[in-house]
Amino acid sequence: MSENIISFEKVNKWYGEFHVLRDIDLQVKKGERIVICGPSGSGKSTMIRCINRLEEHQQGQIVVAGIELTADLKNIEAIRREVGMVFQQFNLFPHLTVLENLTLAPMWVGKIPKAEAEERAMTQLKRVRIAEQAKKYPLQLSGGQQQRVAIARALCLTPKIMLFDEPTSALDPEMIKEVLDVMIELAQMGITMLCVTHEMGFAKSVADRVIFMDQGQIIEQNTPTEFFNNPKSERTRDFLSKILAH
Amino acid sequence: MTADTFQPVPSRAAPVKMRGTVAWLRRNLFGDWMSSIATVIIVGVFLYVLPEVIDWAVVHAVWKPDNDACREAAGVGACWGVIVEQYRLIIFGRYPFDQQWRPLIATLLMVVPLVASCTRPLWSKWLVVAWVVVIAAFFTLMKGGVLGLVPVETSRWGGLPLTMLLSVLGIACAFPLSVLVALGRRSHLPAIRSLCIVYVELIRGVPLISVLFMASFMFPLFMPAGTQVDVLLRVFVGITLFAAAYLAEVVRGGLQAIPKGQVEAAASLGLSYWQTQRKIVLPQALKLVVPSIMNSFISTFKDTSLVTIVSLYDLTGALALALGGDANWRQFYLEGYFFIAAIYWTGCFAMSRYSQWIERQLNRSNVR
């Protein structure tokens, strides 16, 4: 058994009066690839955003890479160095070139010299097959290219964990595949991945585990085969019938 | 659909009608009957007014500092002689006449880093050093008392050097302060946020004149007896605080426009608050509000003319001093005002062009 790299214990969170995460228990092993699905508003994005403290939980305990998440800024910064994140809207920095987007954090957070940071950035850009666009600005690229840059940017800090928050939801159908291909390659590298997505094909081919959430709770979690072929709860069956119908 | 293969249409040159002077005139001045009428009316007004203006300002104007000739021409031609006669008093105010080479050199010195700041290849740490050196030299020259220069009190500084000093230094100090205040107003710390809100609302809620009055007349009353703060310094602080309050709101407007995702992305990469503001938020926010920032700068530049009311003779004050004190020339104040208006306009127009240049420089990343 490999160790748990992420652990949620009885985690609760409220937005004002709205109880968005309810008694979340979740253990993620090192190298595990997890897909999280569920209807919108079910708390799946909120849950993964708690892992790098983009959202604050009010009750329970979250431990990431051996560090407990508290209000302590030191801990938060330490965890963020271990966790990379990819957003639905890419969130590239439009005033910086692609290369500058990638070297910013290594230079300022990792204190790596510029030349080395650039070398590292080019390696990552080659990995996502976009090295020739290094000198361009993000808005000059297509959505799929921007998202691949965003993945490369997150990888530049050599994170142990990658979080994907609906990475293909803002993309044209033609571009989804190029992003998914990059993600599949990452999955084969052995990095721990948590991915909120409705790409069930991706879940079937790479996930070790699929988690289904509704109304702030984890309803069901299982291997993809079991999850898709033999869903246990009525709510899961209902959800699957809707998203797999077409 | 019958076509099996996709046949791309080759791109062709734009129609000739879209180019050339005639096409431009037709499109921009005589596009339809409304714009044709507007063009004719505007050109008509120009043709009617322009000869009169030229008559007054050039043809019948008196160029020599000849008081009798000016009086004869009054009402028919301009008396530019008044400026030839009084320009040193207008430009240097009450600064001792035989020492006026000092403010002249000081002002010219100030122009050097100003121009350098507008040249992108020169943006470096050395520019900051140059500014510090020039400002130190400016004060040394103006104030004297060292290097064998006769000391001149700040209350006798005046005219263009004073206007330059107050606006350039005022803007240079107000801008960083405004950025801090704008960030402070969005802070999660209630004490800092309240402090910034009170500052902005208090200063913005009163006219500049009252700030200057307070700096000049009320402030000394609250000071322990014997302590003296230079009136120029007090007025300078007043102008800076006033300009910063307005600028802070402009900057905050830019900060509001930056999507939350930018900050989240920076946070997820481990950047600290200050790194995020410096590297991600401010460059984008300030870029958005360049026109408004320059608007504030131009306002501040012209607002410095209000220091006259607390007995500092900037350009406007020095003009009143020059003409008001001389019965022979007093009636030609209009020409005098045209002269300083031209100086102000040159400064403002330069700032305006500079702002457009900066916008072009910063918009490179938006070019698709």
Side-chain angles (χ1 to χ4, degrees):
Chain A
M1 280 294 275
S2 51
E3 56 186 306
N4 286 333
I5 195 162
I6 301 171
S7 136
F8 278 59
E9 265 171 47
K10 284 254 169 293
V11 171
N12 281 280
K13 175 175 174 61
W14 290 263
Y15 285 132
E17 285 300 302
F18 179 60
H19 197 172
V20 58
L21 292 182
R22 306 181 189 181
D23 294 338
I24 299 286
D25 282 308
L26 175 69
Q27 313 296 325
V28 180
K29 292 191 195 74
K30 205 171 169 206
E32 211 178 351
R33 292 151 299 194
I34 293 179
V35 163
I36 302 153
C37 59
S40 63
S42 60
K44 49 197 193 306
S45 285
T46 308
M47 185 176 81
I48 70 162
R49 286 158 60 90
C50 280
I51 295 171
N52 64 351
R53 194 74 168 191
L54 290 185
E55 302 285 352
E56 198 176 316
H57 63 286
Q58 279 104 26
Q59 268 179 18
Q61 194 190 37
I62 302 178
V63 179
V64 181
I67 308 160
E68 185 179 355
L69 264 181
T70 58
D72 187 350
L73 269 178
K74 279 247 163 56
N75 284 3
I76 295 172
E77 280 171 17
I79 284 174
R80 282 175 179 167
R81 277 198 286 275
E82 306 292 347
V83 181
M85 188 163 203
V86 175
F87 300 86
Q88 182 178 357
Q89 299 295 342
F90 328 136
N91 293 349
L92 293 177
F93 306 129
H95 60 302
L96 302 176
T97 63
V98 165
L99 190 63
E100 287 165 343
N101 262 278
L102 267 69
T103 54
L104 184 77
M107 281 168 62
W108 289 83
V109 182
K111 310 281 180 212
I112 290 170
K114 190 178 178 191
E116 198 188 325
E118 285 185 350
E119 198 179 312
R120 206 191 265 200
M122 289 312 293
T123 313
Q124 297 303 339
L125 285 177
K126 280 188 196 115
R127 166 176 289 162
V128 301
R129 291 181 289 277
I130 207 162
E132 71 284 357
Q133 313 277 19
K135 297 284 176 208
K136 285 201 181 166
Y137 286 97
L139 294 180
Q140 296 166 332
L141 306 183
S142 74
Q145 290 173 322
Q146 288 190 51
Q147 192 62 300
R148 284 187 282 146
V149 171
I151 294 172
R153 179 176 71 178
L155 289 173
C156 273
L157 284 167
T158 53
K160 295 196 179 100
I161 302 163
M162 282 287 283
L163 308 175
F164 293 84
D165 190 359
E166 306 208 27
T168 55
S169 302
L171 295 176
D172 290 340
E174 277 188 327
M175 295 166 183
I176 291 178
K177 187 174 176 300
E178 64 185 60
V179 170
L180 286 180
D181 285 348
V182 167
M183 289 169 62
I184 290 169
E185 277 178 37
L186 271 186
Q188 286 154 357
M189 275 169 37
I191 197 167
T192 310
M193 281 172 77
L194 279 85
C195 183
V196 173
T197 185
H198 293 129
E199 292 296 329
M200 290 303 136
F202 175 75
K204 280 176 192 164
S205 60
V206 304
D208 297 310
R209 189 172 11 150
V210 180
I211 292 176
F212 175 65
M213 288 183 75
D214 192 19
Q215 295 178 19
Q217 299 177 53
I218 293 177
I219 306 282
E220 187 165 343
Q221 43 182 318
N222 218 327
T223 60
T225 332
E226 276 295 298
F227 181 80
F228 289 111
N229 298 337
N230 193 14
K232 287 187 209 110
S233 81
E234 182 59 37
R235 184 70 192 86
T236 315
R237 275 194 289 275
D238 182 46
F239 177 76
L240 285 177
S241 72
K242 277 179 193 144
I243 63 163
L244 296 176
H246 53 112
Chain B
M1 289 290 242
T2 50
D4 296 318
T5 46
F6 169 64
Q7 290 285 339
V9 177
S11 74
R12 293 183 291 261
V16 182
K17 244 198 260 174
M18 288 168 68
R19 285 169 288 165
T21 318
V22 176
W24 185 89
L25 282 175
R26 175 172 287 169
R27 199 165 55 238
N28 293 294
L29 298 181
F30 301 97
D32 54 40
W33 62 273
M34 280 282 274
S35 69
S36 303
I37 289 177
T39 304
V40 168
I41 290 177
I42 291 168
V43 169
V45 168
F46 260 108
L47 289 180
Y48 178 73
V49 173
L50 212 57
E52 307 247 332
V53 171
I54 293 174
D55 247 20
W56 181 80
V58 181
V59 179
H60 297 292
V62 178
W63 300 88
K64 281 186 293 242
D66 179 345
N67 195 251
D68 294 329
C70 274
R71 282 169 185 278
E72 247 171 67
V76 189
C79 168
W80 301 118
V82 67
I83 291 149
V84 180
E85 174 79 12
Q86 303 279 10
Y87 76 96
R88 282 185 65 167
L89 196 50
I90 298 173
I91 288 182
F92 297 117
R94 295 199 303 153
Y95 207 89
F97 194 81
D98 57 336
Q99 297 290 321
Q100 284 179 358
W101 58 273
R102 283 157 55 182
L104 176 67
I105 293 176
T107 309
L108 291 177
L109 263 181
M110 191 91 112
V111 175
V112 174
L114 263 182
V115 172
S117 304
C118 306
T119 317
R120 185 137 187 187
L122 296 177
W123 288 0
S124 68
K125 276 173 197 153
W126 292 108
L127 195 56
V128 181
V129 176
W131 269 110
V132 173
V133 169
V134 162
I135 287 166
F138 185 94
F139 276 95
T140 314
L141 268 172
M142 292 292 284
K143 205 163 170 51
V146 285
L147 305 172
L149 296 169
V150 188
V152 178
E153 293 168 48
T154 53
S155 58
R156 298 199 63 173
W157 298 11
L160 188 58
L162 183 66
T163 300
M164 284 267 282
L165 176 72
L166 287 174
S167 21
V168 172
L169 269 195
I171 287 169
C173 295
F175 183 58
L177 178 63
S178 73
V179 171
L180 290 178
V181 172
L183 290 174
R185 249 192 115 152
R186 288 158 53 88
S187 166
H188 296 297
L189 307 170
I192 290 178
R193 193 173 55 237
S194 317
L195 189 72
C196 293
I197 292 175
V198 167
Y199 161 67
V200 168
E201 298 304 335
L202 211 60
I203 298 280
R204 229 170 28 146
V206 295
L208 177 57
I209 289 199
S210 59
V211 173
L212 293 178
F213 263 117
M214 272 194 257
S216 174
F217 302 122
M218 303 232 334
F219 182 73
L221 300 180
F222 301 127
M223 294 295 287
T227 5
Q228 276 224 325
V229 181
D230 193 288
V231 63
L232 179 61
L233 180 64
R234 280 180 270 139
V235 163
F236 167 73
V237 171
I239 286 180
T240 304
L241 290 179
F242 189 80
Y246 278 87
L247 264 176
E249 286 299 280
V250 170
V251 173
R252 193 167 67 95
L255 294 176
Q256 308 278 49
I258 302 306
K260 217 175 138 214
Q262 291 287 306
V263 178
E264 288 182 348
S268 79
L269 290 169
L271 266 66
S272 71
Y273 172 81
W274 288 108
Q275 285 172 337
T276 306
Q277 302 305 323
R278 216 186 112 201
K279 291 281 162 189
I280 307 300
V281 177
L282 283 173
Q284 297 185 60
L286 294 179
K287 183 170 110 180
L288 285 174
V289 293
V290 165
S292 306
I293 288 177
M294 200 47 80
N295 212 10
S296 284
F297 283 2
I298 287 176
S299 284
T300 304
F301 175 47
K302 290 184 292 184
D303 279 351
T304 56
S305 59
L306 284 169
V307 299
T308 310
I309 60 136
V310 292
S311 311
L312 286 174
Y313 295 95
D314 78 310
L315 214 42
T316 328
L319 175 73
L321 201 69
L323 299 190
D326 191 331
N328 287 331
W329 295 104
R330 197 174 296 164
Q331 71 183 102
F332 303 108
Y333 67 92
L334 192 63
E335 286 85 345
Y337 274 110
F338 272 128
F339 177 59
I340 61 162
I343 296 180
Y344 275 111
W345 185 84
T346 308
C348 293
F349 186 66
M351 287 159 93
S352 164
R353 300 300 301 191
Y354 177 52
S355 134
Q356 288 169 24
W357 178 81
I358 286 267
E359 273 180 66
R360 275 199 306 277
Q361 293 289 311
L362 296 179
N363 272 335
R364 286 177 178 173
S365 63
N366 288 347
V367 179
R368 277 170 192 262

